[in-house]
Amino acid sequence: MSNLLAISGGTPVRDTKKHPWMTWPHRSSDEWDNRIEPLLREVYLSGQEGSGGTMIRRFSEEYAQYSGTHYGIFMPHGTDSISAALAGALDLDGFSDGGEVIVPNYTFVATASAVLERNCKVIFVDVCPDSFTIDPQAIAAAITPNTRAILPVHLGGHPADMGTLQEIADKHELKIVEDCAQAHGAEYKTKKVGSVGDVGAFSFQSSKNLTSGEGGMVTTDDKDIHDRVCAFMNVGRAPGGARWEYPRLGWNYRPSEYLAAILLVRLELLEEQTNLRNRNALYLSSALEQMDGITPPKHANWVTKHGYHLYCMTYSPEGFGGKSQQEFVNALSAEGIPCSTGYRSPLSEEPGMAHVAEKYPDQIRTLPCPNAEAVCRQSVWLFQNMLLGSKSDMDQIVEAISKINEAWR
């Protein structure tokens, strides 16, 4: 193969027209005929497409069992799940001041917007330089008498340091709300995420490792949290209560039976797929760890299983002739390896969040975040569907990075 880079007119390592990466979500006519269609038909003929059906209850129970929790509450979206989890954990009605919630400054916007939606204040803190998850030391420095919760994000599928976070939470009487949107199947010391803190929130958006296009889930062992979340999503009704009685104020965040049916089928594949992602990521990391300028994702010692929604490596221009992060991503993409720089800035600096902070300065407080800033400058993401490929697919990723390294070094 020519050493001329594809971005300069050479032949790419992978011809994605002939050999496309696995599409996501995975789909087949056999799965439709034998699994999906019969369940959707069952919903359709039942006449119960939302409340009163069986698929939502079945999926909620099975996901709770998978996550190792007593309760699961199916939601329409991941963002709603965070809002509901906060409402349940902190007993919020959304009208009074909900207090301060500590959030990592390297995350998707929904982590913080859901906090603001519940009339809580967002306190942005730094992340750990290796795991990109919330830094316990930064949390300790951010706590005030108004702090009520910590909202760790298991970024890319790497569980946060939940043991240390729990020590902090216990000391200051705080709740822990886990943002598990990118971490389906991940484990902290053999416990599935979503079962470690007080409550967990998941997303089933179209890119996620378990998806129905949109959807979410709240998991918890706490009956009071469960009951408050149920009221939040079902117009204030108590679980099992009368239809026209509303003991709490709630909203309509009820999901669809059709989405639950699809997720019931896909949940059966999640553990096997997670294990495959972990095997391929380990193989890929072992091949890349000697590469000058590339640092593969690191596992903290508490990670017994990574979710690998993202394969988050870091890039150093010094190992690639001084070429920038964006130049590397452009070159790697041209070689047929889809990738991204990820979040372009700490969330507090994104225009929408910065506008809120300027207009409502009491609602957002940002502590120094040098690690989050560095991660934004250095990150290169590969996506979870690529880790469902073969070892030869992983070899092509390594080959493409090596090709760029040799050309620029």
Side-chain angles (χ1 to χ4, degrees), residues 104-107 109 112 124 126 343-357 364-374 376-377:
N105 207 2
Y106 187 73
T107 184
V109 64
F124 283 117
D126 209 0
Y343 305 129
R344 61 184 183 179
S345 65
L347 181 53
S348 62
E349 297 178 13
E350 283 296 313
M353 202 62 61
H355 172 74
V356 172
I364 297 177
R365 178 162 58 95
T366 303
L367 276 69
C369 297
N371 293 334
E373 293 169 359
C376 290
R377 293 192 302 268

Side-chain angles (χ1 to χ4, degrees), residues 81-103:
S81 299
I82 300 173
S83 293
L86 283 165
L90 302 180
D91 195 7
L92 301 175
D93 58 18
F95 296 99
S96 61
D97 182 350
E100 297 177 349
V101 178
I102 298 176
V103 174

Side-chain angles (χ1 to χ4, degrees), residues 12-27:
V13 168
R14 186 182 182 104
D15 184 339
T16 54
K17 291 184 178 179
K18 293 181 179 178
H19 303 289
W21 292 95
M22 178 180 290
T23 57
W24 190 256
H26 175 70
R27 54 196 181 274

Side-chain angles (χ1 to χ4, degrees), residues 5-308:
L5 296 182
I7 200 168
S8 301
T11 302
V13 168
R14 186 182 182 104
D15 184 339
T16 54
K17 291 184 178 179
K18 293 181 179 178
H19 303 289
W21 292 95
M22 178 180 290
T23 57
W24 190 256
H26 175 70
R27 54 196 181 274
S28 70
S29 57
D30 285 344
E31 184 181 64
W32 169 260
D33 291 339
N34 297 316
R35 303 301 312 283
I36 301 288
E37 190 274 339
L39 288 179
L40 297 186
R41 178 181 174 83
E42 182 180 334
V43 173
Y44 179 78
L45 293 178
S46 74
Q48 300 288 341
E49 300 181 353
S51 298
T54 62
M55 298 295 173
I56 291 171
R57 184 179 69 252
R58 283 176 55 190
F59 176 62
S60 297
E61 291 173 353
E62 290 191 18
Y63 198 81
Q65 182 178 18
Y66 175 79
S67 298
T69 57
H70 286 104
Y71 305 106
I73 306 101
F74 188 34
M75 300 287 295
H77 310 97
T79 307
D80 306 335
S81 299
I82 300 173
S83 293
L86 283 165
L90 302 180
D91 195 7
L92 301 175
D93 58 18
F95 296 99
S96 61
D97 182 350
E100 297 177 349
V101 178
I102 298 176
V103 174
N105 207 2
Y106 187 73
T107 184
F108 182 61
V109 64
T111 308
S113 62
V115 174
L116 294 171
E117 188 272 337
R118 289 289 85 206
N119 203 16
C120 297
K121 295 176 175 60
V122 172
I123 312 301
F124 283 117
V125 301
D126 209 0
V127 295
C128 297
D130 293 336
S131 67
F132 311 158
T133 60
I134 196 165
D135 182 356
Q137 291 186 348
I139 292 172
I143 292 172
T144 74
N146 294 321
T147 306
R148 297 193 65 194
I150 304 167
L151 211 171
V153 179
H154 305 304
L155 199 286
H158 187 294
D161 183 0
M162 296 299 294
T164 305
L165 298 191
Q166 192 63 61
E167 291 175 4
I168 296 171
D170 291 342
K171 179 179 178 180
H172 297 277
E173 298 183 343
L174 308 177
K175 296 293 186 181
I176 296 181
V177 178
E178 299 177 67
D179 182 341
C180 310
Q182 298 180 356
H184 311 75
E187 294 177 0
Y188 171 87
K189 295 185 177 179
T190 74
K191 291 189 67 175
K192 287 282 194 291
V193 297
S195 71
V196 190
D198 294 283
V199 60
F202 292 82
S203 170
F204 305 129
Q205 179 266 346
S206 56
S207 72
K208 299 302 189 290
N209 295 23
L210 179 63
T211 179
S212 52
E214 289 290 352
M217 180 69 70
V218 176
T219 56
T220 187
D221 284 327
D222 189 307
K223 185 179 185 303
D224 290 337
I225 292 177
H226 165 265
D227 291 353
R228 289 192 285 263
V229 170
C230 287
F232 176 92
M233 59 85 68
N234 195 18
V235 297
R237 296 182 180 121
R243 180 169 183 175
W244 310 119
E245 293 179 358
Y246 318 103
R248 290 179 63 88
L249 185 62
W251 286 261
N252 182 355
Y253 287 102
R254 295 189 298 267
S256 165
E257 281 277 284
Y258 291 108
L259 298 184
I262 293 171
L263 286 163
L264 275 168
V265 174
R266 291 176 175 168
L267 178 59
E268 295 178 9
L269 305 174
L270 177 58
E271 192 71 1
E272 179 183 347
Q273 291 170 341
T274 303
N275 290 337
L276 177 57
R277 291 185 184 99
N278 275 264
R279 290 195 300 271
N280 277 332
L282 180 62
Y283 178 82
L284 186 58
S285 292
S286 65
L288 290 175
E289 61 187 359
Q290 302 303 321
M291 179 84 62
D292 190 27
I294 294 291
T295 303
K298 296 180 180 179
H299 281 208
N301 59 14
W302 58 78
V303 179
T304 49
K305 186 173 292 186
H306 200 297
Y308 278 116

